[in-house]
Amino acid sequence: MIAEPAREIRSPTDGAPDRGPRSPFLRGYVVAAIPSTLLFLPLLAHRSADPVLLTFSTSYVAFLAVVALAATVLPLIIAAACRRSQSASPAYSFVLGLVALVVSCSFVEMILTYRLRLEDAFAQYAKWGHKRSLLFAFEATPNHKWVDAGATYTTNRLGFRTHLGGDSWEKGGGTRIFTLGESSVFGYGLNDDETWPHLLETKLRTSLDRRPLDVINAGNNGHTSLQTLFRFYTKVLPLEPSHVILYLGPNDVYGTGPDRLLITEDILFSGSVAQFWAAETRGQNPYARSLLFYVLQRSVPPLQRIVPEAADPASADGPRPNETPDQELQRLSDTIGRAYIENVGTICRLARGKGIEPVLVTFMHNMRGRLRIMLEHNNELLRKLASEEKIALIDVARAFESSAAKGSYFFADQYHPNRKGAKFIASTVAGEWR
């Protein structure tokens, strides 16, 4: 007998597509979805300053939605790659890549934790030539020389910008003019001989037949009208100036908190950057609180807007219920302007009480939007104060209105005067000097 060949026994499902739990698509999706979900969950540990849903603000809910969509779609893409290759290898490669990324970030975080526990939170202010100050929060370091923003800066023993004519003004007689204000007076981005107070001295000496006259630059980077008031009373008033020129504005607009300062207690009193960042990001998700994110967002400014910062609960500057943008702008302008003009007025009254002639100078700029409106509001307050109190005013802002190519007078921020802008301010003040 001829034996029949053995028949191959086939399963009823042989030849049909593999749709069981071990299919490459499903396996790939599960493998990729698990780490994606685990990486997404820490984002839920976040507390917004103005929650509308659970502990999340409207913007953070939108951010979560985008990330959740990405965490859902990405595993689907990986699973599709697994189906094409009939293997779960793409998913395992994806997981290995994520593990390598997490391990690398954790290693970098450890290094940053070690380094930034030793780095002073005040380091950025020190880079700008400042030291901590009990009265002013921060001020220019006396007898100091530093380089920043393409310029070299020096200060004298009082912390004023170095007077290139020497320190004989402290002993000599004649007209002694002090300029007070913030970085636009100090000359951020300009060398000692390029600031408008220095140029003003040269122009006034020429127009006044070179009679004894000195212009002393007592401005300070980052100071607001309140700090300028303290600086005038403690540092300038005892030096018996004949005139004091006031030129300030933006820092009151940019400042935060009830005093509108450009520095927070976290920076002033934190012992290190690590402590500062922990306090600054309290309530935010673990990723935003990491020192790695601190370093990245300083290098890539758009990252600062990905995770909204928690607002200061004590701040009254945020929008109020049922308040329109125009109403909010008006309220902010009134609030900031009221404190600003009170500080400026106090300086003027103190000066006159000591026989010192105050001179108000309106602030020129090329800003846009809300900042422009608030700065112009402060300029109007200066004009009103000058009219009511019979204080000398030099309207640099109005003189600047007819200038062409306004942007060419400033650095990129459109309010710090460059060399051309410094010459314009000095020429305008000298031309109106009485």
Side-chain angles (χ1 to χ4, degrees):
M1 295 179 61
I2 300 176
E4 294 184 2
R7 294 183 179 179
E8 182 182 359
I9 300 176
R10 298 174 60 88
S11 168
T13 59
D14 285 353
D18 182 6
R19 300 186 183 276
R22 297 179 60 80
S23 67
F25 181 88
L26 184 57
R27 286 202 307 272
Y29 182 80
V30 171
V31 170
I34 290 176
S36 298
T37 302
L38 292 176
L39 291 175
F40 171 78
L41 290 177
L43 292 174
L44 300 178
H46 186 91
R47 185 179 71 253
S48 300
D50 51 346
V52 295
L53 179 64
L54 299 177
T55 60
F56 311 136
S57 65
T58 302
S59 58
Y60 195 79
V61 169
F63 170 71
L64 284 178
V66 171
V67 177
L69 179 62
T72 302
V73 171
L74 188 57
L76 290 174
I77 296 174
I78 300 298
C82 291
R83 181 168 57 187
R84 286 194 299 270
S85 66
Q86 285 298 299
S87 167
S89 295
Y92 291 127
S93 299
F94 171 72
V95 172
L96 287 175
L98 283 182
V99 170
L101 178 63
V102 171
V103 171
S104 298
C105 290
S106 300
F107 181 70
V108 172
E109 185 72 11
M110 290 173 59
I111 295 175
L112 290 175
T113 299
Y114 173 75
R115 289 187 58 189
L116 297 184
R117 284 185 187 279
L118 304 176
E119 183 177 324
D120 190 355
F122 194 76
Q124 183 61 50
Y125 285 79
K127 179 185 175 185
W128 295 331
H130 291 125
K131 68 180 184 69
R132 285 183 173 93
S133 169
L134 181 63
L135 182 59
F136 307 107
F138 61 91
E139 62 177 321
T141 304
N143 292 322
H144 187 42
K145 180 178 181 179
W146 71 99
V147 177
D148 188 40
T152 301
Y153 315 83
T154 59
T155 54
N156 64 11
R157 66 177 186 85
L158 298 168
F160 299 154
R161 193 79 186 258
T162 298
H163 186 255
L164 299 182
D167 294 331
S168 59
W169 62 268
E170 295 187 52
K171 300 176 182 178
T175 303
R176 187 181 295 175
I177 302 169
F178 278 77
T179 59
L180 270 171
E182 31 88 330
S183 49
S184 294
V185 174
F186 184 82
Y188 183 72
L190 299 173
N191 295 314
D192 294 340
D193 61 348
E194 296 171 336
T195 69
W196 67 260
H198 173 75
L199 300 177
L200 175 63
E201 179 182 84
T202 302
K203 291 181 179 297
L204 288 180
R205 284 180 174 179
T206 300
S207 63
L208 299 177
D209 298 325
R210 297 186 179 276
R211 71 178 183 179
L213 179 147
D214 295 289
V215 178
I216 314 303
N217 186 343
N220 199 104
N221 291 334
H223 274 193
T224 62
S225 61
L226 179 62
Q227 290 161 300
T228 300
L229 168 58
F230 292 159
R231 191 169 177 82
F232 169 72
Y233 187 75
T234 60
K235 290 205 161 190
V236 174
L237 196 58
L239 297 173
E240 301 179 349
S242 57
H243 300 74
V244 58
I245 300 175
L246 300 174
Y247 184 77
L248 66 164
N251 290 346
D252 283 68
V253 175
Y254 285 124
T256 59
D259 296 328
R260 311 301 306 175
L261 301 185
L262 293 181
I263 193 169
T264 66
E265 291 185 359
D266 296 335
I267 295 176
L268 276 176
F269 302 114
S270 292
S272 68
V273 171
Q275 292 173 340
F276 156 71
W277 192 242
E280 185 78 1
T281 58
R282 186 177 293 113
Q284 296 190 18
N285 68 69
Y287 299 124
R289 291 176 61 82
S290 70
L291 292 172
L292 177 58
F293 185 78
Y294 166 77
V295 173
L296 289 175
Q297 58 89 29
R298 291 183 66 188
S299 303
V300 187
L303 288 177
Q304 298 175 6
R305 297 189 292 272
I306 290 180
V307 181
E309 295 183 3
D312 179 2
S315 174
D317 290 349
R320 297 178 179 178
N322 303 320
E323 186 178 51
T324 66
D326 288 342
Q327 290 172 332
E328 180 196 4
L329 177 59
Q330 184 62 52
R331 176 175 56 80
L332 285 176
S333 297
D334 292 341
T335 301
I336 295 170
R338 188 162 48 247
Y340 168 81
I341 205 63
E342 179 61 30
N343 292 330
V344 171
T346 301
I347 294 174
C348 293
R349 288 188 288 273
L350 288 171
R352 281 184 161 177
K354 295 294 184 178
I356 302 167
E357 187 65 29
V359 179
L360 303 178
V361 179
T362 54
F363 195 87
M364 80 174 202
H365 60 90
N366 192 39
M367 306 291 279
R368 293 289 180 267
R370 292 159 62 93
L371 292 172
R372 179 184 185 87
I373 293 172
M374 287 191 276
L375 287 175
E376 289 305 321
H377 179 70
N378 285 356
N379 280 341
E380 283 300 324
L381 292 176
L382 288 177
R383 296 178 183 115
K384 182 179 179 182
L385 176 65
S387 176
E388 293 176 349
E389 302 287 337
K390 302 297 185 290
I391 300 171
L393 179 134
I394 299 177
D395 208 336
V396 169
R398 191 154 287 165
F400 183 65
E401 290 177 359
S402 59
S403 300
K406 290 183 171 59
S408 64
Y409 289 78
F410 305 95
F411 290 110
D413 55 32
Q414 294 299 298
Y415 73 91
H416 279 116
N418 55 22
R419 295 177 185 176
K420 182 178 179 181
K423 291 178 181 178
F424 181 87
I425 296 173
S427 297
T428 304
V429 173
E432 293 294 324
W433 194 262
R434 298 289 184 268

